[in-house]
């Protein structure tokens, strides 16, 4: 008994935060709260305090110093909760407060409230305010992390004071999710970052020894007799576009549409877009793609990024398929030219329904329709035009069921379906996924099973399965897993997948420190091994062994050092672009490093060099990127990035050659021994008048070329031999230019005016001009550039506010 008591006392004093803190809130009795950061109302004086914050990082478990103490209070009424935070600072003149746009913290101190209306440890709504009075918000889950594409409408005010700084928030119930029970018990936590010291604190202790964040929130009690409001939001928008290029006269276009967000009940929300307009979406960073797989692009359209964590279950959705490139290419004769040849398919409308019941069942439904698309073709001899269908009317559908249990585990079912009108292929893919954690979050078992069915001229069925086991707590951690993918698995109609017909095994072991030392704020060393084998022949398709060291110094500079080895030859079944055909890849060895200096400093930089040596004659690659950044003041900053890559004696596919001089000879697959060189320059600038009014600039110049030195024939053995018959020019040179100048003004909650000037140009050539300056300047003229000027305004309408005024 004495020994047990002693152990308990030690645990209390060393880790004395295992019990969840409880905060009691009180209801306002008709007193109005003005969101000004001053807390003049009498109600604030009597509210219970949340205090005694504890460090999350870097020194996990350390109490906040008295001269930097934080005091938080919460009140509520029938429409919203109110949060006040007083953050003391012994050096208020050193509080960092860079002004930035929404969802960008900048180099600033931050305060946040984390709210879970169901207190289920699964999903938090996080509301941030920085010391420059800027807002950020996100949805956070242990499974998917933080999703900052989610935006709520709430009010806040931050003030710098003589003793530190303050924050006041009003978060309407329409921005939250909670049950309809008479007495509410919510999960809640509060967060503070002292940016100059890179120290992060929370009210309820977050033990970094455990593999969970959202389950370690505190408790808020006292909210009674509130009802989930009618969540109906309308966002009408109108846009004007002015487009011009050398091939097109200046044309003006007016567009308009409507976004709708409706709370079906306290748990489920419907989002719909009518007449979509994505004209001001960020441009794609296109590259010279010499590989066998398509380039994968980020999703920048807000409808497909906001609140879509549920649709990521099973990893079946690549939303760029919706409204992407056409299914077919139109064919023309020598006498014909294109009058219209759309590169993308127009989205007609889209809607999604998502939410989670109080029993933990998450339901997601997404539907989108794209229109029939034709190419218009002119015959120069007859002057007749014709249309050729390149994409049919198409329906995209996603259904997700995700059951959470024990606050830290889930099992989900996902189905995606693509149905095309006419004689095109249809696709149906399903997945069952599981993420199971022990009660104390020390071990995890995860995996999935996917099944695809393609309905076309020849039906195709395939499967993809994974299984992974990991220890997820403590200084020492490890994981082991495997994959099995059949040859005919195909989820590329609405998802993206490159490799099939293999099985693999992988493992990881790592050690990390949980508290700072005299030298490091954080330190982690890891060892990884991965081997992929061809499913039918058991030949090695890929192998990699990696050792990596990452650490943050006490001055908050980050360093990473990596060594990789692929010590066995591998059989690549994709590069040859032919079924059941492989090329043997040599052994390779790579070393790299990454340095990122402390962004708190006005001047900082990122540096990332690497070198790879192949077990093949004079074959090597090296690259480096350098990214200096300078913050002139709290309003104006510049970030520049330069990247250079050179691959010497790279060997890759260029053509499939039919030797007409010898009909007995089968088609020959031609590779090239080539040098591949890439330059990329990027510049971004930001000037903020306030957190709600910002100017931004983004410029990217890209040039990459592949110069073939000699041609090689792929043999049946997977080896390459010199080819003297093939003599076509297969050199490649791609260069592009993009520039965006934008202004945004959030003139009312949820309402934005945005102005964008954009120009871009791109060119591909089989003749390589190695003069860097002429390649850049050849695009910077009116003959090459496409110009676009647009003004867009969207206005947020809250049904509840309209109802209260009527």
């Amino acid at each position: 008994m004495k020994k047990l008591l002693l152990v308990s006392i030690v645990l209390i004093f060393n880790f004395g935060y295992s019990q969840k803190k409880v905060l009691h809130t009180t209801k306002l009795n008709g007193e109005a709260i003005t969101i000004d950061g001053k807390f003049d109302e009498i109600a604030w004086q009597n509210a219970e305090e949340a205090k005694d914050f504890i460090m999350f990082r870097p020194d996990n478990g350390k109490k906040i110093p008295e001269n930097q103490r934080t005091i938080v209070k919460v009140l509520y009424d029938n429409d919203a909760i109110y949060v006040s935070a007083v953050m003391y600072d012994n050096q208020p003149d050193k509080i960092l407060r860079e002004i930035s746009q929404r969802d960008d913290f900048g180099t600033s101190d931050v305060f946040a409230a984390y709210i879970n209306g169901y207190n289920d440890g699964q999903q938090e709504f996080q509301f941030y305010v920085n010391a420059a009075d800027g807002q950020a918000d996100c949805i956070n889950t242990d499974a998917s992390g933080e999703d900052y594409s989610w935006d709520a409408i709430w009010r806040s005010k931050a003030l710098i004071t003589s003793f530190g700084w303050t924050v006041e928030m009003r978060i309407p119930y329409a921005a939250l999710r909670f049950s309809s029970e008479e007495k509410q018990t919510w999960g809640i936590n509060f967060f503070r970052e002292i940016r100059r010291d890179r120290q992060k604190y929370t009210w309820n202790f977050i033990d970094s020894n455990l593999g969970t964040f959202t389950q370690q929130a505190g408790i808020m009690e006292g909210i009674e007799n509130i009802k989930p409001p009618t969540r109906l939001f309308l966002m009408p928008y109108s846009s004007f576009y002015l487009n011009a290029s050398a091939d097109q006269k200046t044309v003006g276009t007016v567009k308009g549409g409507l976004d709708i967000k409706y709370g079906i009940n306290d748990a489920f929300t419907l989002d719909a877009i009518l007449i979509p307009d994505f004209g001001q979406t960020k441009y794609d960073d296109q590259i010279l793609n010499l590989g066998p797989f398509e380039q994968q692009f980020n999703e920048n359209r807000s409808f497909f990024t906001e609140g879509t964590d549920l649709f990521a279950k099973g990893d079946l959705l690549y939303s760029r398929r919706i409204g992407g490139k056409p299914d077919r290419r139109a064919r023309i004769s020598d006498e014909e030219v294109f009058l219209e040849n759309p590169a993308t398919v127009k989205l007609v409308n889209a809607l999604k329904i998502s939410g989670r019941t109080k029993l933990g069942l998450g339901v997601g439904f997404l539907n989108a329709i794209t229109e029939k698309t034709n190419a218009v073709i002119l015959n120069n001899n007859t002057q007749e035009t014709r249309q050729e269908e390149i994409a049919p009317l198409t329906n995209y559908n996603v259904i997700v069921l995700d059951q959470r249990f024990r606050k830290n585990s889930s099992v989900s079912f996902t189905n995606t379906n693509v149905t095309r009108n006419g004689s095109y292929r249809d696709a149906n893919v399903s997945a069952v996924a599981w993420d199971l954690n022990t009660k104390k979050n020390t071990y995890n078992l995860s995996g999935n099973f996917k099944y695809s069915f393609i309905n076309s001229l020849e039906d195709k069925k395939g499967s993809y399965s994974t299984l992974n086991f990991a220890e997820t707590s403590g200084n020492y951690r490890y994981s082991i897993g495997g994959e099995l993918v059949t040859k005919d698995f195909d989820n590329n109609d609405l998802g993206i997948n490159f490799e099939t017909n293999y099985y693999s095994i992988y493992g990881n072991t790592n050690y990390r420190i949980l508290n700072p030392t005299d030298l490091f704020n954080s330190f982690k060393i890891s060892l990884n091994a991965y081997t992929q084998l061809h499913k039918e022949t058991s030949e090695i398709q890929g192998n990699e062994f990696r050792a990596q060291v990452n650490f943050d110094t006490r001055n908050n500079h980050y360093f990473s050092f990596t060594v990789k080895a692929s010590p066995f030859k591998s059989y690549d079944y994709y590069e040859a672009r032919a079924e059941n055909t492989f090329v043997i890849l040599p052994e390779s060895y790579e070393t790299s490093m990454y340095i990122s200096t402390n962004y708190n400093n006005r001047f900082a930089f990122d540096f990332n060099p690497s070198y790879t040596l192949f077990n093949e004659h004079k074959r090597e690659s090296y690259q480096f990127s350098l990214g200096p950044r300078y913050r002139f003041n709290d309003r104006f900053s510049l970030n520049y990035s330069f990247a250079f890559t050179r691959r010497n004696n790279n060997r890759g596919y260029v053509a499939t050659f039919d030797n007409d001089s010898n009909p007995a000879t089968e088609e020959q697959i031609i590779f090239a021994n080539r040098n591949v060189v890439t330059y990329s320059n990027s510049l971004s600038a930001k000037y903020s008048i306030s957190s709600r009014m910002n100017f931004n600039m983004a410029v990217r110049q890209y040039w990459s070329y592949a110069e073939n030195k000699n041609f090689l024939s792929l043999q049946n053995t997977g080896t390459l031999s010199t080819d003297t018959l093939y003599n076509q020019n297969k050199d490649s040179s791609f260069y592009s230019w993009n520039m965006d100048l934008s202004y945004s003004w959030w003139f009312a909650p949820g309402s934005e005016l945005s102005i964008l000037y954009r120009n871009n140009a791109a060119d591909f050539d089989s003749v390589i001009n190695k003069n860097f300056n002429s390649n850049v300047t050849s695009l910077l003229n009116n003959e090459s550039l496409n110009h676009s000027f647009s003004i867009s305004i969207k206005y947020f309408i809250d049904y509840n506010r309209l109802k209260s005024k009527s």
Side-chain angles (χ1 to χ4, degrees), residues 6-20:
L6 179 62
V7 171
S8 300
I9 293 173
V10 170
L11 287 174
I12 290 172
F13 278 92
N14 289 328
F15 308 96
Y17 316 114
S18 59
Q19 295 296 321
K20 288 180 177 287

Side-chain angles (χ1 to χ4, degrees), residues 241-275:
Y241 292 89
L242 203 61
N243 298 300
S245 67
D247 300 324
Q248 174 184 299
K249 294 181 180 179
T250 302
V251 176
T253 306
V254 177
K255 297 182 180 181
L258 178 68
D259 289 356
I260 301 173
K261 186 183 291 287
Y262 174 64
I264 299 172
N265 54 30
D266 62 319
F268 291 91
T269 302
L270 180 147
D271 293 272
I273 48 174
L274 308 177
I275 316 177

Side-chain angles (χ1 to χ4, degrees), residues 518-589:
D518 292 338
L519 296 177
F520 307 113
N521 276 336
S522 67
F523 180 90
K524 179 181 177 182
I525 182 169
S526 59
L527 301 174
N528 296 271
Y530 177 82
T531 301
Q532 183 184 113
L533 303 170
H534 191 265
K535 181 174 174 292
E536 296 166 1
T537 65
S538 293
E539 294 161 337
I540 296 176
Q541 285 193 171
N543 64 105
E544 180 182 282
F545 300 88
R546 181 173 75 245
Q548 189 172 52
V549 177
N550 308 313
F551 59 86
D552 278 296
T553 68
R554 293 305 296 253
N555 292 325
N556 294 306
H557 302 306
Y558 176 79
F559 295 84
S560 176
F561 300 92
T562 305
V563 176
K564 296 180 185 179
S566 298
F568 307 109
K569 292 180 179 179
S570 57
Y571 292 70
D572 186 340
Y573 279 82
Y574 310 101
E575 181 63 27
R577 276 78 154 176
E579 190 173 357
N580 298 321
T581 304
F582 61 87
V583 59
I584 298 176
L585 302 182
E587 305 90 333
S588 64
Y589 306 89

